[in-house]
């Protein structure tokens, strides 16, 4: 008997998600009213979102999700949300010279936003060139995608509670979902509550600097914009110079909040519940902090000794060489390791030694259960422990040696899943690098294009990191890539955010029938 996956049930629930997407679209609409900017891009998108969502819901009035339908729902939801999110860009840029007027560019920017990648096709990022409302929508997409759109839907929609565990498992970053309560909907609400609370605190601190005269350009608008893009480790900024546009105190403040964003949010709930020892006992968090500290010290030494170009007066504050080196190294390591993508200096101009250290940071990634991208620290821990076990059992074949994390034995199925993911990640990354290089050389779209740019474009998009090296540095953009390469990178951002499996499984014959 061949049982087909009920795609109608999945698509019907995608319609529900799209209908609810019309609510956050009200925020940039209000911003447009405040600054007397065009409101039509958002009114039209709200109407379209509600109409399309209602139409899709009619495919299956009472959808019932099994495992395959849940994975299909998660994968399609992210693609559909990114497509709808591109509509305001296209409408606002229609009839102008805006890069976002092209549908592919708009889709690239939208997918980059929702997946918190932070890669951009905008050659000029300035409120002088783009409206406050459009830029706020750009920032808001990252905040919505940070903790997860499906996690939010599970938290507020009763009809998703039954299949909630499978849905959150498919979307949540990391190899394993950590339930905080017996009911998955309550767990989803807790995660979003913690996420929301940190965002509000960060916005209040940033605006407080403005009120105290310590950061004159950190207006309320900028404070909200950076609150929406720091906690989701997104990196979009309404300032062309990113965080380098602000004073040193703003840069120092961003560092601990990026670290928080790259930490498993479940740990904070345990701390708030009185179990503060969870941080100390958690092996992934210890490795995460150790990686940040080690790479920061190494890069600071490189910058201080002059292996990289001298660092000048950044952020409007004249600082000593040591403080400047430490601040730049700590900021860039944390920003790239957590996949945030903010910048306080153009590391594309640094020496190869400094850039290699940054490359290692990009490969690490955040913690499982965080908003950070990349491979994730826990997977690297498991891979290294498996390698060490293989070396040990090679000389002691009679010994059975389980893999342990934090004193707990890791299931062998979970280990196979980690190894399988790591292999697919590296294979897709390598193939994408080759395809991008061939596509660019085919049309000669970019002068002096090197393997470094192809390598970093692939890594920065599948890892949801954003900036790369060469002309893709922190103040560069992806606009010069050919359309096929941009569409490939949209695909990489999509599968990278969902950690490959929920998307690729749709392309297997066994997924649709059995």
């Amino acid at each position: 008997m061949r049982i087909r996956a009920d795609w109608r049930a999945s698509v019907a629930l995608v319609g529900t998600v799209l209908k609810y997407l019309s609510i956050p679209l009200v925020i940039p609409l209000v911003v447009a009213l405040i600054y007397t900017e065009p409101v039509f891009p958002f009114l039209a998108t709200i109407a379209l979102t509600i109409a399309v969502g209602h139409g899709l819901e009619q495919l299956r009035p009472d959808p019932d999700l099994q495992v395959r339908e849940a994975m299909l729902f998660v994968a399609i939801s992210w693609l559909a949300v990114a497509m709808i999110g591109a509509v305001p860009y296209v409408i606002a840029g229609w009839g102008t010279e805006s890069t976002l007027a092209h549908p592919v560019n708009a889709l690239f920017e939208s997918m980059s936003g929702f997946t918190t990648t932070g890669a951009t096709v905008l050659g000029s990022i300035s409120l002088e060139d783009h409206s406050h409302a459009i830029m706020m929508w750009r920032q808001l997409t990252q905040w919505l995608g940070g903790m997860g759109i499906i996690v939010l839907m599970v938290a507020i929609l009763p009809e998703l509670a039954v299949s909630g565990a499978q849905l959150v498992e498919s979307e949540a970053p990391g190899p394993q979902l950590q339930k905080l309560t017996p009911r998955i909907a309550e767990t989803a609400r807790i995660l979003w509550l913690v996420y929301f609370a940190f965002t509000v605190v960060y916005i209040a601190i940033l605006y407080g600097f403005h009120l105290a005269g310590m950061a004159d350009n950190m207006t309320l608008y900028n404070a909200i914009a950076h609150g929406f893009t720091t906690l989701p480790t997104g990196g979009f900024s309404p300032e062309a110079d990113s965080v380098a546009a602000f004073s040193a105190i703003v840069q120092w403040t961003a560092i601990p909040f990026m670290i928080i964003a790259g930490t498993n949010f479940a740990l904070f709930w345990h701390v708030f519940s009185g179990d503060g020892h969870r941080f100390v006992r958690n092996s992934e968090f210890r490795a995460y902090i150790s990686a940040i500290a080690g790479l920061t010290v190494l890069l600071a030494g490189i910058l201080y000794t002059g292996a990289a170009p001298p660092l000048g007066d950044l952020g409007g504050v004249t600082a000593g060489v040591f403080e400047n080196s430490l601040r730049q190294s700590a900021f860039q390591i944390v920003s790239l390791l957590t996949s945030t993508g903010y910048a306080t200096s153009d590391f594309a101009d640094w020496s190869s030694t400094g850039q290699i250290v940054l490359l290692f940071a990009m490969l690490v990634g955040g913690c499982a259960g965080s908003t950070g991208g990349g491979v994730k620290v826990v997977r690297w821990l498991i891979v290294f422990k498996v390698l060490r076990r293989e070396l040990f059992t090679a000389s002691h074949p009679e010994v059975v040696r389980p893999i342990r994390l934090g004193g707990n034995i890791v299931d062998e199925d979970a280990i196979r899943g980690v190894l399988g993911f790591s292999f697919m990640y590296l294979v897709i990354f390598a193939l994408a690098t080759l395809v991008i290089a061939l596509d660019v050389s085919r049309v000669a779209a970019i002068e002096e294009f090197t393997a470094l740019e192809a390598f970093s474009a692939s890594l920065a998009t599948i890892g949801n990191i954003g900036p790369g090296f060469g002309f893709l540095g922190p103040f560069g953009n992806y606009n010069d890539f050919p359309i096929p390469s941009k569409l490939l990178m949209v695909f990489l951002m999509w599968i990278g955010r969902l950690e490959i499996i929920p998307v690729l499984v749709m392309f297997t014959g066994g997924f649709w029938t059995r």
Side-chain angles (χ1 to χ4, degrees):
M1 180 180 180
R2 299 173 68 85
I3 303 175
R4 296 184 180 276
D6 188 2
W7 63 268
R8 289 182 177 83
S10 303
V11 176
L13 279 176
V14 171
T16 302
V17 172
L18 293 182
K19 280 176 56 178
Y20 276 86
L21 183 63
S22 63
I23 297 176
L25 277 162
V26 173
I27 294 177
L29 176 63
V30 171
V31 172
L33 291 172
I34 292 174
Y35 288 95
T36 62
E37 296 170 346
V39 298
F40 179 72
F42 304 103
L43 289 175
T45 306
I46 289 172
L48 176 65
T49 302
I50 294 174
V52 172
H54 179 73
L56 294 179
E57 282 183 324
Q58 307 312 305
L59 290 173
R60 182 76 69 183
D62 297 307
D64 179 29
L65 298 185
Q66 302 301 319
V67 174
R68 289 182 294 172
E69 287 79 9
M71 297 181 74
L72 181 63
F73 163 62
V74 170
I76 295 179
S77 291
W78 278 83
L79 181 60
V81 164
M83 293 173 70
I84 290 293
V87 174
Y89 297 141
V90 175
I91 296 177
W94 194 263
T96 70
E97 297 181 357
S98 172
T99 304
L100 297 180
H102 194 291
V104 172
N105 287 337
L107 178 61
F108 184 101
E109 200 77 10
S110 180
M111 183 65 80
S112 179
F114 280 108
T115 59
T116 72
T117 302
T120 183
V121 293
L122 294 180
S124 174
I125 302 173
S126 171
L127 290 174
E128 297 177 358
D129 300 313
H130 307 280
S131 71
H132 292 79
I134 283 294
M135 296 299 278
M136 182 58 71
W137 173 240
R138 185 170 174 263
Q139 269 69 248
L140 183 58
T141 58
Q142 294 203 318
W143 193 76
L144 292 172
M147 185 52 65
I149 298 168
I150 306 304
V151 175
L152 178 59
M153 293 296 104
V154 170
I156 63 177
L157 297 180
E159 58 264 37
L160 294 183
V162 176
S163 306
Q166 179 62 41
L167 296 175
V168 176
E169 185 80 36
S170 299
E171 181 189 58
Q176 186 176 6
L177 168 68
Q178 183 177 354
K179 292 180 66 175
L180 303 178
T181 63
R183 298 172 58 188
I184 191 64
E186 187 176 349
T187 296
R189 283 191 286 271
I190 288 172
L191 293 174
W192 263 93
L193 178 62
V194 174
Y195 181 58
F196 177 80
F198 275 125
T199 303
V200 171
V201 170
Y202 185 54
I203 290 173
I205 292 174
L206 291 181
Y207 190 54
F209 290 147
H210 173 78
L211 296 177
M214 303 168 71
D216 291 339
N217 57 345
M218 184 54 75
T219 61
L220 180 59
Y221 179 92
N222 266 335
I224 294 173
H226 288 87
F228 280 168
T229 55
T230 300
L231 271 301
T233 64
F236 276 164
S237 172
E239 296 290 338
D241 292 333
S242 188
V243 183
F246 303 101
S247 61
I249 192 170
V250 171
Q251 297 172 16
W252 277 116
T253 304
I255 293 172
F257 279 93
M258 287 190 290
I259 293 175
I260 288 172
T263 302
N264 188 335
F265 274 75
L267 291 177
F268 295 112
W269 177 253
H270 289 300
V271 171
F272 299 151
S273 302
D275 188 6
H277 296 291
R278 285 280 185 141
F279 274 109
V280 180
R281 297 197 303 264
N282 188 274
S283 56
E284 182 186 27
F285 180 74
R286 294 199 306 269
Y288 171 63
I289 294 300
S290 298
I292 290 174
L295 291 173
T296 296
V297 170
L298 179 59
L299 183 58
I302 294 173
L303 298 182
Y304 185 72
T305 56
L311 299 171
D313 178 19
L314 295 174
V317 175
T318 302
V321 176
F322 176 77
E323 185 275 339
N324 209 357
S325 299
L326 183 60
R327 172 161 46 91
Q328 303 307 320
S329 60
F331 191 98
Q332 294 304 158
I333 289 296
V334 172
S335 178
L336 293 181
L337 189 145
T338 61
S339 78
T340 305
Y342 281 147
T344 52
S345 62
D346 191 356
F347 56 75
D349 293 332
W350 291 3
S351 71
S352 58
T353 308
Q355 292 189 32
I356 289 173
V357 177
L358 294 178
L359 177 61
F360 272 101
M362 293 172 69
L363 291 171
V364 174
C367 297
S370 72
T371 62
V375 175
K376 303 294 183 298
V377 175
V378 67
R379 286 197 178 97
W380 287 118
L381 285 176
I382 292 175
V383 168
F384 289 142
K385 286 177 178 288
V386 168
L387 291 175
R388 188 172 64 179
R389 182 177 68 174
E390 292 302 310
L391 292 175
F392 180 81
T393 55
S395 57
H396 303 83
E398 73 285 354
V399 176
V400 177
R401 188 174 183 177
I403 301 296
R404 297 178 182 272
L405 275 181
N408 300 317
I409 295 177
V410 182
D411 185 77
E412 290 297 323
D413 288 337
I415 293 174
R416 283 194 292 271
V418 168
L419 296 178
F421 169 86
S422 302
F423 176 75
M424 285 189 292
Y425 189 96
L426 294 175
V427 168
I428 295 172
F429 156 67
L431 290 176
T433 300
L434 177 61
V435 172
I436 291 172
L438 292 175
D439 186 41
V440 172
S441 62
R442 175 182 61 85
V443 296
I446 304 172
E447 294 183 3
E448 299 182 2
F449 185 78
T450 66
L452 176 64
E453 279 87 4
F455 177 92
S456 61
S458 179
L459 179 61
T461 48
I462 194 173
N464 302 131
I465 297 165
F469 297 104
F471 71 86
L472 297 176
F475 304 127
N477 64 81
Y478 290 72
N479 187 45
D480 290 337
F481 280 96
I483 294 299
S485 290
K486 289 178 181 175
L487 290 174
L488 173 60
M489 286 185 273
V490 167
F491 178 76
L492 292 176
M493 289 186 278
W494 181 31
I495 66 172
R497 176 58 180 84
L498 297 180
E499 308 216 314
I500 300 176
I501 302 297
V503 177
L504 292 193
V505 73
M506 294 190 304
F507 298 98
T508 63
F511 176 79
W512 298 99
T513 61
R514 64 177 173 86

